[in-house]
């Protein structure tokens, strides 16, 4: 490049800098920051200049590119390298990880300029133990049972140290012992302190040994009572018992109308007494409710405590005392609404149709045990029994009415004549007499019949 060409380039650069300075001044921007984007990197400063990092631990380095007069430059690409990756590695962000004992030079480079720092990875024992943490810090174990403790030596900044020798000791070997691995054995009821020591530093855990548990069958519930009843439910109450291991038992409830035999008793399918009834605390009162019972009915109830899973390993206690209770007679509220179903129906002459009446109080609650009377407004067309069974007499319309406590509901009935060759009468034979098809069709001799099934006629 000729002198004239070099001079031209430098004058052009100076012109650009002057113009940028003028623009920057007009815009009130930071000229030093602007020049930081233009000046070349003259040096790279790495911090910290030296560091020590244990094996497996990390330390963060930073790199600052600078211009020829020491100003920090921004928006520059920096790359990192380790002179001994088997001792210490460095990632693209300057994070150094100790790999093995030794030293390594960590270099940061930007635009051909570099800076370096020295990192030392000390031998493991060169970082002394500053504290020992034992976990769990407190524990309880029954006599004859085991519990494991762990000890973690740490350095002065709380980093865990590995490969350190730990010894264990018990303050009360007659109560609790500990082996060289931190496994504690309960010997007798009482308390003791387990201490872990490493390089002269101690950590401890407090141990409580409880009396050994004698495993038995679940206990018997002896105070089962009926605590309350409605027309369709009964509430039971009892004191909770031990499941044989010192824990609250679970329970199965059964019931029967009249007298309960456990083997044939009914399991609870509705309410909070559905199996399993889960225990909460031994010696406290537990209540649950059996739903879906019949009004004004005497029932007997029993309960069995158990532990485990009913489908696999359940262990049962004895049957409790039996307790009896009677559901209430039901609501005394008056009938407010009578609904007849079906609301409309059609039958042919000689056929029958069953109607049903549903009674409700003013709140819409269904009522039972009330008297219902039935009537037809056209007895020449259709008759109705006291149970709501309607018989078609002659073609025409009729209104069927159900009445209870002065309230009525109706249904519309249409009686028609069967077409020629059709059905003379039809029935579901729910009241037919006889144990075989022929005698059932004859209905105790009340009917003679003829059937044509395509293969000839059958008459009786």
């Amino acid at each position: 490049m000729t002198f004239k060409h070099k001079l031209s380039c430098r004058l052009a650069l100076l012109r650009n800098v002057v113009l940028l300075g003028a623009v920057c001044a007009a815009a009130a921007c930071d000229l030093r920051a602007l020049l930081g984007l233009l000046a070349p990197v003259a040096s790279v400063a790495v911090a910290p200049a030296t560091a020590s990092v244990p094996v497996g631990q990390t330390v963060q380095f930073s790199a600052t590119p600078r211009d020829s007069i020491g100003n920090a430059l921004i928006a520059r690409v920096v790359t990192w390298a380790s002179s001994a990756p088997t001792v210490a590695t460095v990632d693209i962000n300057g994070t150094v990880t100790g790999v093995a004992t030794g030293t390594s030079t960590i270099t940061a480079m930007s635009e051909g300029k570099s800076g370096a720092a020295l990192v030392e990875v000390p031998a493991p024992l060169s970082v002394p133990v500053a504290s020992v943490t034992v976990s769990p810090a407190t524990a309880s174990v029954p006599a004859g049972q085991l519990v494991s403790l762990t000890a973690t030596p740490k350095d002065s900044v709380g980093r865990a140290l590995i490969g350190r020798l730990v010894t264990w000791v018990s303050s009360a070997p007659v109560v609790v012992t500990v082996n060289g691995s931190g496994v504690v054995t309960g010997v007798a009821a009482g308390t003791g302190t387990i201490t872990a020591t490493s390089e002269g530093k101690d950590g401890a855990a407090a141990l409580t040994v409880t009396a050994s548990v004698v495993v038995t069958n679940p206990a018997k519930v002896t105070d089962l009572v009926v605590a309350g009843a409605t027309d369709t439910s009964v509430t039971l109450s009892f004191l909770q018992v031990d499941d044989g291991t010192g824990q609250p038992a679970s329970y199965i409830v059964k019931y029967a109308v009249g007298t309960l035999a456990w083997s044939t008793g009914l399991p609870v399918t509705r309410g909070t007494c559905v199996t399993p009834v889960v225990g909460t605390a031994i010696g406290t009162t537990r209540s649950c409710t059996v739903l879906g019972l019949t009004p004004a009915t005497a029932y007997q109830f029993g309960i069995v405590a158990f532990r485990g899973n009913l489908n696999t390993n359940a262990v049962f206690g004895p049957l409790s005392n039996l307790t009896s209770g009677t559901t209430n007679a039901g609501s005394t509220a008056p009938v407010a609404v009578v609904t007849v179903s079906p609301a409309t129906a059609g039958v042919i002459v000689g056929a029958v149709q069953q109607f049903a009446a549903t009674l409700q109080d003013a709140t819409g609650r269904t009522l039972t045990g009330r008297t219902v009377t039935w009537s037809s407004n056209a007895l020449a067309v259709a008759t109705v029994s006291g149970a709501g069974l309607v018989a078609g007499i002659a073609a025409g319309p009729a209104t069927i009415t159900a009445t209870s406590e002065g309230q009525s509901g109706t249904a519309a009935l249409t009686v028609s004549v069967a077409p020629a060759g059709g059905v003379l009468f039809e029935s579901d034979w729910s009241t037919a007499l006889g144990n075989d098809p022929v005698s059932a069709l004859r209905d105790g001799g009340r009917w003679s019949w003829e059937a044509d099934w395509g293969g000839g006629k059958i008459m009786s």
Side-chain angles (χ1 to χ4, degrees), residues 314-385:
V315 178
F316 299 94
L319 176 62
S320 70
N321 66 295
L322 301 181
T323 186
S324 299
T326 301
T327 51
N328 298 338
S331 174
T332 59
V335 174
V337 178
V338 178
T339 303
V340 178
S341 59
T344 61
V347 297
I348 62 173
V349 174
V352 294
Q353 169 67 49
Q354 180 65 58
F355 287 87
T358 301
L359 312 181
Q360 294 177 303
D361 62 16
T363 65
R365 182 179 180 181
T366 300
L367 304 174
T368 59
R370 307 300 173 92
T371 300
V372 178
T373 58
W374 294 87
S375 62
S376 168
N377 73 334
L379 294 177
V381 174
T383 61
V384 60
S385 73

Side-chain angles (χ1 to χ4, degrees), residues 103-377:
T103 59
S104 176
T105 299
I106 304 301
T107 302
M109 182 172 290
S110 180
E111 298 179 14
K113 304 299 181 179
S114 62
L118 183 66
V119 64
E120 176 190 14
V121 180
L125 290 178
S126 64
V127 178
V129 173
S131 63
V132 177
T133 300
V134 177
S135 61
T138 61
S140 178
V141 59
Q145 301 297 313
L146 308 177
V147 63
S148 293
L149 303 179
T150 60
T152 305
K154 297 180 180 180
D155 65 13
S156 60
V157 295
R159 291 179 296 195
L161 302 174
I162 59 175
R164 306 303 171 94
L165 177 64
V166 176
T167 58
W168 295 86
V169 66
S170 169
S171 66
V174 296
V175 174
V176 60
T177 62
V178 61
N179 67 12
S181 301
V183 177
V184 172
T185 302
V187 177
T191 60
T193 299
I194 304 299
T195 302
T197 302
S198 181
E199 300 177 18
K201 302 300 180 179
D202 297 332
L207 266 293
T208 300
V209 180
T210 57
S212 58
V213 176
V214 178
V215 177
T216 62
N217 287 340
K220 177 181 178 178
V221 174
T222 59
D223 58 351
L224 180 66
V225 296
V226 172
T230 68
D231 56 338
T232 59
S233 70
V234 165
T235 298
L236 303 175
S237 179
F238 58 94
L239 287 181
Q240 298 184 73
V241 298
D242 191 325
D243 73 351
T245 68
Q247 299 300 314
S250 296
Y251 306 92
I252 300 172
V253 177
K254 287 188 176 183
Y255 69 98
V257 175
T259 302
L260 171 65
W262 186 258
S263 60
T264 58
L266 299 173
V268 179
T269 59
R270 293 176 58 192
T272 56
C273 287
V274 173
T275 302
V277 178
V278 178
T280 55
I282 298 170
T284 62
T285 299
R286 183 76 161 87
S287 297
C288 66
T289 301
V290 182
L291 298 179
L293 303 180
T294 302
T297 303
Y299 291 92
Q300 194 168 60
F301 302 85
I303 190 170
V304 167
F306 75 95
R307 69 171 181 270
N309 189 310
L310 282 174
N311 297 321
T312 55
N313 61 349
V315 178
F316 299 94
L319 176 62
S320 70
N321 66 295
L322 301 181
T323 186
S324 299
T326 301
T327 51
N328 298 338
S331 174
T332 59
V335 174
V337 178
V338 178
T339 303
V340 178
S341 59
T344 61
V347 297
I348 62 173
V349 174
V352 294
Q353 169 67 49
Q354 180 65 58
F355 287 87
T358 301
L359 312 181
Q360 294 177 303
D361 62 16
T363 65
R365 182 179 180 181
T366 300
L367 304 174
T368 59
R370 307 300 173 92
T371 300
V372 178
T373 58
W374 294 87
S375 62
S376 168
N377 73 334

